[in-house]
Amino acid sequence: MSDTIFGKIISGEIPSEFLYEDDHCIAINDISPQAPVHVLVIPKRGIPRLVDATDDDQALLGHLMLAAGRVAEQLGVADSFRLIVNNGAGAGQTVFHLHLHIIAGRTFAEGHMAG
Ligand code: AMP
C-alpha cells in the first residue's frame, strides 16, 4: 500500500465511496472532476508512476484496462470515453500512486489528445 491519499482510501483510513471494487483495483469519483464523468481506476498495489511498473505488473496493468472498460459500461459511457494516465509531475501527476482517469460526458475534439 502506498503512503498517498489513494493508499489511505484503499486501506479505508480515508472514507470514500467505491463505484467498483475487485481483488486488484477500485474506482472512485475524482474529487475535482474535469468532465461530467471523471472516475479514477486505482490499483490496490501502489506503483508510484507508470514507468515504475515492472514485468511483474504486466497482468495488473492489463487488468486495469479491462476494469476501466467495465466501469465505463457501468457508468453508461462505454461508447465515448477517454483514458488518461499522467506520468510524472511534469505531466500533471499529483498523486504518486498509479491511476487511470476515465473522462466522459463531454465532447472530444478529433485529433486533439489533450483538452
Ligand atoms: P493526477 O493529477 O493524474 O495525479 O490525478 C490525481 C487526481 O486525484 C486529481 O484529478 C485529483 O482531483 C484527484 N484526487 C485527489 N484527492 C482525491 C480524493 N481524496 N478523492 C478523489 N480524487 C482525488
Side-chain angles (χ1 to χ4, degrees):
M1 201 66 66
S2 69
D3 189 26
T4 65
I5 188 109
F6 294 163
K8 291 180 176 134
I9 286 171
I10 289 162
S11 71
E13 189 180 334
I14 295 176
S16 180
E17 185 194 345
F18 294 178
L19 305 177
Y20 172 89
E21 180 177 17
D22 63 31
D23 287 348
H24 305 292
C25 66
I26 63 163
I28 61 172
N29 279 313
D30 195 291
I31 204 168
S32 176
Q34 306 296 309
V37 173
H38 187 170
V39 169
L40 305 172
V41 179
I42 309 171
K44 292 183 176 177
R45 189 185 304 165
I47 303 162
R49 303 168 303 167
L50 181 62
V51 287
D52 299 313
T54 69
D55 288 350
D56 288 345
D57 299 311
Q58 183 169 337
L60 176 61
L61 296 179
H63 180 83
L64 293 175
M65 298 288 278
L66 290 170
R70 296 295 87 77
V71 172
E73 283 171 345
Q74 183 184 314
L75 296 170
V77 299
D79 286 334
S80 179
F81 67 94
R82 190 166 277 180
L83 268 189
I84 296 172
V85 175
N86 295 323
N87 181 95
Q93 186 175 3
T94 56
V95 180
F96 287 81
H97 179 134
L98 175 68
H99 51 281
L100 277 53
H101 296 254
I102 299 174
I103 307 280
R106 68 167 171 81
T107 308
F108 296 112
E110 274 182 44
H112 293 272
M113 215 75 80

